[in-house]
């Protein structure tokens, strides 16, 4: 019997995460159209909480922590979970691991760029065809939407200044005039940490702004003025749900709506999505790339509307969020595995009037 073919467009997280599971589909061959190999992407960190779908990434993670903090000018909440630790893995470490799982000759990789014409994909003027086409190329961004944008770098100090046991997930003790703004700090050791300035707004700031905010933060809260910078990172994540499929193919990864709109987290949801697709293909079910629950997407719309209209209450929102649940519950909520009880507890602790206003705003737009 002739082998069926899966064509995967792209060579990033979603594409290679799915291809690494090819052994689960023995009746299929795989073509990966990874694009120009001379184009080098930043080797940034991907963050996630350990779940049953990302255990391999957990075992290969660069760093893991069982405690994380959310700080504001009036409070500090430290949550913990040994069952669901917070982890980071570097982009190329994960992609290389995925490639190491290509244990058979039924996977072919094409490094040439593809192009699209009239909704069809071509490689060297030859139309790409196959039983299944999965497209993981970056999507086109919508205009006038709320963005999560960030810049940062690894800080190395000559003295011990960081608590290497606790991630600072969000610290709102920084300039709030540009929108919801917080510092994200991953302590790799007492002397070294990744520090990022992150803003939720519609306008991207200058490189000088992010760097200045990080320096002011380190001076004020760590008494740190002398340090070296390395491993610069930056990114822009649209805070809206992408769900469209293209004619004749399925979108996956960011293009396929894997990014959680309210948080920008994608890694775990990509692993859920590719595992779901592999299972659907193996069972000959219709492919469905949707990975977020309807209730989560609806609540995300309300949350994003609140942040866009009332950014000044963001510290209070996250203080209430952190005080309403424990570490296990937060890890599951952020990974899309929250129970209705946990979700209800969070809702009860949110500022009522802004969320009610945004609820009606979202409902009337539907």
């Amino acid at each position: 019997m002739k082998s069926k073919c899966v064509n995967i467009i792209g060579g990033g997280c979603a594409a290679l995460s799915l291809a690494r599971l090819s052994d689960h589909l023995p009746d299929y061959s795989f073509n990966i159209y990874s694009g120009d190999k001379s184009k080098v992407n930043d080797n940034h960190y991907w963050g996630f909480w350990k779940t049953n779908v990302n255990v391999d990434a957990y075992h290969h993670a660069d760093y893991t922590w069982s405690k994380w903090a959310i700080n504001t000018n009036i409070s500090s909440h430290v949550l913990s979970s040994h069952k669901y630790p917070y982890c980071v893995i570097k982009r190329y470490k994960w992609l290389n691991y995925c490639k190491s799982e290509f244990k058979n000759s039924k996977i072919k990789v094409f490094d040439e760029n593809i192009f699209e014409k009239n909704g069809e994909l071509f490689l060297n003027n030859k139309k790409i065809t196959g039983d299944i086409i999965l497209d993981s190329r970056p999507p086109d961004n919508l205009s006038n939407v709320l963005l999560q944008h960030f810049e940062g770098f690894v800080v190395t100090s000559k003295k011990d200044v960081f608590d290497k046991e606790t991630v600072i997930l969000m610290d709102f003790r920084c300039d709030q005039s540009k929108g919801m703004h917080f510092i994200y700090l991953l302590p790799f050791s007492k002397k070294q940490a990744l520090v990022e300035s992150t803003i939720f707004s519609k306008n991207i700031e200058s490189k000088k702004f992010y760097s200045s905010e990080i320096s002011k933060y380190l001076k004020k809260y760590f008494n740190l003025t002398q340090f070296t910078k390395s491993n610069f990172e930056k990114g822009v994540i649209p805070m809206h749900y992408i769900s469209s499929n293209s004619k004749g193919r399925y979108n996956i990864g960011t293009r396929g709506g894997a990014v959680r709109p309210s948080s920008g987290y994608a890694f775990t949801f990509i692993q859920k999505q590719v595992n779901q697709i592999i299972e659907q293909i193996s069972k000959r079910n219709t492919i469905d790339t949707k990975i977020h629950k309807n209730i989560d997407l609806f609540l995300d719309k309300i949350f994003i509307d609140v942040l866009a209209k009332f950014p000044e209450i963001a510290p209070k929102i996250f203080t209430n969020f952190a005080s309403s649940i424990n570490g296990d519950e937060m890890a599951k909520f952020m990974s899309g595995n929250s129970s209705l009880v946990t979700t209800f507890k969070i809702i009860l602790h949110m500022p009522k009037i802004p969320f009610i206003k945004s609820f009606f705003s979202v409902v009337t737009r539907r």
Side-chain angles (χ1 to χ4, degrees):
M1 185 176 69
K2 184 179 178 180
S3 175
K4 295 181 179 181
C5 179
V6 175
N7 288 312
I8 304 175
I9 314 301
C13 184
L16 299 192
S17 292
L18 190 144
R20 86 180 224 276
L21 302 173
S22 62
D23 282 352
H24 294 267
L25 299 175
D27 296 333
Y28 286 80
S29 62
F30 285 72
N31 294 324
I32 303 174
Y33 298 89
S34 60
D36 186 357
K37 64 181 178 181
S38 66
K39 182 181 178 181
V40 179
N41 292 294
D42 292 336
N43 191 21
H44 49 258
Y45 287 98
W46 287 326
F48 58 95
W49 280 268
K50 178 188 175 186
T51 69
N52 61 337
V53 298
N54 59 34
V55 173
D56 287 344
Y58 164 72
H59 288 305
H60 290 82
D62 290 275
Y63 301 95
T64 64
W65 301 266
S66 61
K67 295 192 294 184
W68 52 90
I70 296 177
N71 299 328
T72 70
N73 285 318
I74 60 174
S75 68
S76 177
H77 292 275
V78 179
L79 293 92
S80 64
S81 175
H82 293 284
K83 187 175 182 180
Y84 309 110
Y86 188 72
C87 318
V88 292
I89 189 168
K90 276 205 163 183
R91 170 189 174 88
Y92 285 111
K93 186 175 184 180
W94 175 249
L95 298 186
N96 287 333
Y97 166 72
C98 290
K99 292 176 184 177
S100 74
E101 293 293 292
F102 299 174
K103 295 185 172 66
N104 54 63
S105 59
K106 69 177 184 177
I107 297 179
K108 295 180 180 180
V109 180
F110 299 88
D111 294 326
E112 300 90 349
N113 282 330
I114 64 168
F115 69 94
E116 185 172 353
K117 182 180 180 180
N118 298 326
E120 305 285 358
L121 300 177
F122 295 84
L123 175 69
N124 298 328
N125 294 318
K126 183 179 180 181
K127 182 180 175 181
I128 296 174
T129 60
D131 298 280
I132 298 170
I133 300 177
L134 303 168
D135 192 351
S136 71
R137 293 174 299 161
D140 296 328
N141 291 328
L142 297 177
S143 59
N144 196 35
V145 298
L146 195 67
L147 304 171
Q148 178 184 161
H149 45 101
F150 59 89
E151 288 199 27
F153 40 80
V154 171
V155 170
T156 303
S157 167
K158 291 183 179 180
K159 58 183 180 179
D160 293 348
V161 291
F162 302 116
D163 174 7
K164 66 177 184 177
E165 305 298 328
T166 306
V167 167
I168 298 178
L169 203 63
M170 308 175 88
D171 197 326
F172 290 94
R173 297 174 296 175
C174 51
D175 183 356
Q176 299 295 318
S177 66
K178 306 292 186 179
M180 172 180 148
H181 181 201
F182 61 88
I183 300 294
Y184 172 67
L185 189 151
L186 300 177
F188 300 152
S189 70
K190 291 181 179 180
K191 292 183 172 66
Q192 190 175 71
L194 171 67
V195 190
E196 294 178 351
S197 168
T198 302
I199 305 175
F200 288 18
S201 73
K202 293 182 179 181
N203 300 308
I204 298 173
E205 301 301 325
S206 67
K207 184 179 183 67
K208 181 179 179 181
F209 176 83
Y210 304 102
S211 180
S212 174
E213 285 301 303
I214 291 171
S215 294
K216 287 190 288 187
Y217 175 80
L218 292 173
K219 179 180 180 180
K220 186 171 183 178
Y221 298 107
F222 293 89
N223 192 28
L224 183 60
T225 57
Q226 299 294 321
F227 53 84
T228 59
K229 303 176 183 179
S230 61
N231 301 95
F232 290 81
E233 294 201 1
K234 65 178 181 178
V236 180
I237 304 171
M239 298 184 70
H240 64 88
Y241 179 61
I242 301 171
S243 61
S244 61
N245 278 320
S246 305
K247 182 181 178 181
R249 57 187 184 270
Y250 302 95
N251 293 333
I252 62 173
T254 300
R255 189 183 188 89
V259 177
R260 180 75 183 265
S262 62
S263 67
Y265 279 98
F267 186 82
T268 291
F269 298 107
I270 287 173
Q271 304 314 311
K272 285 185 178 183
Q273 189 180 63
V274 300
N275 276 275
Q276 177 175 292
I277 292 170
I278 290 291
E279 182 177 3
Q280 289 166 345
I281 295 174
S282 67
K283 292 182 177 180
R284 294 179 171 80
N285 293 335
T286 301
I287 294 177
D288 180 6
T289 61
K290 184 178 178 181
I291 204 65
H292 300 294
K293 293 181 285 189
N294 288 333
I295 182 64
D296 289 343
L297 292 176
F298 178 65
L299 294 176
D300 279 4
K301 286 182 180 180
I302 297 171
F303 175 73
I304 291 167
D305 191 79
V306 170
L307 291 185
K309 294 176 178 176
F310 311 101
E312 69 279 1
I313 68 170
K316 179 176 177 60
I317 289 172
F318 285 94
T319 294
N320 292 4
F321 171 63
S323 63
S324 67
I325 54 178
N326 60 41
D328 285 359
E329 290 172 321
M330 180 176 174
K332 292 172 71 174
F333 178 82
M334 296 298 290
S335 303
N337 300 323
S338 177
S339 68
L340 286 176
V341 172
T342 298
T343 301
F344 189 62
K345 283 199 296 184
I346 294 170
I347 292 172
L348 285 178
H349 282 77
M350 291 298 102
K352 299 297 184 295
I353 294 177
F355 274 83
I356 290 172
K357 289 181 178 180
S358 289
F359 169 81
F360 285 108
S361 177
V362 168
V363 169
T364 55
R365 288 201 304 263
R366 298 180 77 184

